[in-house]
Amino acid sequence: MRQLAFLFVLTLFLGSSVHAQTRVSQKEKAKYDELNDFQKDLYKKELRLNEEEWSKFWPLYKEYQLRLSKSKKRFRKTWFPIDINSYSEKKATKYLNDVISLQQTELDLFAKYSKEISAVIGTKKTLILREKRPLIEKQIVTKATALGIKKK
């Protein structure tokens, strides 16, 4: 779960070149650029996308990731650190409702963007994306760690 949270924060950061230019040194920016290129190459390779598919897929996928990340970030901001054993029944009920709401949001986003992405790269490649995404994310986290990029 921490790796996934790290990846979402990292994806947000990589998606914001203005942020990268104003808040990090040139050396750090080069690391983020290298990681961003690595991420793009992984998705291109794993999904076997041609340039036309890639040019339509990547903006859609980044938009999906951003919206997903924002909803998870709101949840974490409200509930982190999670200590269920200390919750009253009322707080536990609120937490459960928020978990259900987050999962519904994730499902709604998946349904919306799967249809849009399928229209661009086809259903088969969309299913491959769903299957390979966790493995790709692990590789990105490993690369970020190797580059010395720390979780923000």
Side-chain angles (χ1 to χ4, degrees):
M1 182 70 177
R2 285 180 187 248
Q3 282 186 341
L4 189 57
F6 172 70
L7 183 63
F8 285 121
V9 170
L10 190 60
T11 301
L12 277 176
F13 189 80
L14 290 174
S16 173
S17 61
V18 171
H19 179 75
Q21 292 172 357
T22 59
R23 296 213 175 177
V24 297
S25 70
Q26 286 298 98
K27 186 177 180 182
E28 289 174 334
K29 184 182 180 315
K31 288 180 184 181
Y32 285 104
D33 289 345
E34 182 179 341
L35 185 62
N36 195 24
D37 290 343
F38 178 78
Q39 179 185 31
K40 289 177 179 180
D41 289 343
L42 272 176
Y43 279 101
K44 277 184 191 176
K45 179 182 144 206
E46 292 296 331
L47 298 175
R48 296 182 177 147
L49 300 176
N50 62 41
E51 286 303 316
E52 182 181 346
E53 290 170 325
W54 174 255
S55 68
K56 294 175 183 175
F57 162 78
W58 192 243
L60 272 175
Y61 187 71
K62 294 298 282 184
E63 181 182 318
Y64 167 61
Q65 288 296 317
L66 181 63
R67 292 190 61 196
L68 191 61
S69 180
K70 283 181 179 181
S71 65
K72 289 183 177 199
K73 192 174 188 177
R74 276 192 302 271
F75 178 84
R76 283 190 307 275
K77 187 176 179 181
T78 302
W79 290 105
F80 187 81
I82 298 168
D83 185 12
I84 296 168
N85 290 324
S86 71
Y87 294 172
S88 66
E89 276 301 307
K90 184 177 180 179
K91 188 170 183 176
T93 301
K94 171 79 171 114
Y95 175 75
L96 179 60
N97 289 336
D98 284 357
V99 167
I100 292 167
S101 178
L102 174 62
Q103 290 182 345
Q104 185 62 54
T105 298
E106 290 172 349
L107 182 61
D108 292 346
L109 287 171
F110 176 73
K112 176 190 185 314
Y113 284 95
S114 290
K115 289 176 186 172
E116 292 180 25
I117 289 170
S118 289
V120 170
I121 65 172
T123 303
K124 184 176 177 180
K125 287 181 181 179
T126 302
L127 290 171
I128 291 169
L129 170 64
R130 184 175 185 273
E131 179 184 298
K132 292 193 175 192
R133 195 174 129 218
L135 299 172
I136 292 170
E137 289 172 352
K138 277 186 176 182
Q139 290 178 53
I140 294 166
V141 169
T142 300
K143 179 71 170 182
T145 302
L147 289 170
I149 298 173
K150 295 192 170 134
K151 183 178 173 183
K152 299 261 179 202

